[in-house]
Amino acid sequence: MSAVLYPIYTAATFVGASANKINNYLIERDQLEQEIQAFKQEEILSLVRLQTLDYVRKENQRLRDLLNLMAPSIDEYRAAKIIDASLNPYEHRVVIDVGSAEGIEDSTMVLVREGVLGQIMMANPYTSQVILLSDADHAVPVISTRTGLRTIAFGAGVEHELILPFVTPDTDIQMEDEFVTSGLGGVFLPGYYVGKVIWLEDDASRPFSEIRLEVSYKMNEINDVLLIQGN
């Protein structure tokens, strides 16, 4: 009887073992597929995190560039972002995302990486309006880095341009001369880049020369600004 039943028992055992192996294989394959799917999700998440990290690194680099502008006399500084800009072509102004609730005051100096952007015109509780150097209603005391000439640069009402209306034809000014803030008046700290001469017309028959400066910043490329106050 044992001899007769042995093949049947062996076959049944083989079928049972094979079924268990197949079942275990299916379970392992399902687990493997779940693990692969989890790895794929983790990979996607890691890529997103890397992209976010890259963005944060770039943001931090921009902020470091802004902080490098600070002179030793700076007492307080605050980073901010531009959230709105005036659509009026005769008003060169922007709105930033900090205000008087965070200690921001009217007339505070506003910088970008390239130099002076303008100053706070009106500080609201949570936002502030910044008037740019190029606005026709703005003026900033400046000094020539080459000759030490002190004068006042007014906004030309034209994007990226300033004018020096009180310079006589016999004054030593050349194309590409650079001007920085002189510090007179106490609003703008001294030594910050304002612009360079791009137009110079000396006419001895006129009391004053026609001189235009070009600011270095480009409004459509600015997102971050730095607000600073001296001691």
Side-chain angles (χ1 to χ4, degrees), residues 15-28:
V15 171
S18 297
N20 287 334
K21 288 182 179 179
I22 293 172
N23 185 55
N24 290 336
Y25 169 76
L26 292 175
I27 292 175
E28 290 175 358

Side-chain angles (χ1 to χ4, degrees), residues 128-190:
S128 297
Q129 187 178 65
V130 179
I131 182 170
L132 308 189
L133 293 180
S134 55
D135 191 287
D137 291 332
H138 191 271
V140 53
V142 296
I143 184 172
S144 169
T145 58
R146 185 177 65 86
T147 66
L149 170 71
R150 286 185 174 86
T151 184
I152 299 177
F154 291 82
V158 178
E159 191 174 6
H160 306 146
E161 288 191 12
L162 311 177
I163 56 176
L164 303 180
F166 305 128
V167 178
T168 58
D170 59 347
T171 303
D172 181 11
I173 288 188
Q174 300 175 5
M175 292 290 292
E176 302 293 322
D177 275 357
E178 295 183 338
F179 284 80
V180 299
T181 52
S182 67
L184 295 179
V187 174
F188 293 94
L189 297 177

Side-chain angles (χ1 to χ4, degrees), residues 78-130:
R78 178 73 164 81
K81 286 187 175 294
I82 293 176
I83 59 174
D84 196 11
S86 173
L87 298 178
N88 187 335
Y90 303 104
E91 291 184 353
H92 299 176
R93 300 168 191 181
V94 297
V95 178
I96 57 176
D97 63 353
V98 295
S100 57
E102 298 177 73
I104 304 303
E105 300 176 352
D106 291 353
S107 299
T108 298
M109 182 178 176
V110 182
L111 299 179
V112 291
R113 288 182 298 173
E114 296 81 1
V116 181
L117 177 67
Q119 66 185 102
I120 298 295
M121 183 178 184
M122 181 171 61
N124 300 309
Y126 304 106
T127 62
S128 297
Q129 187 178 65
V130 179

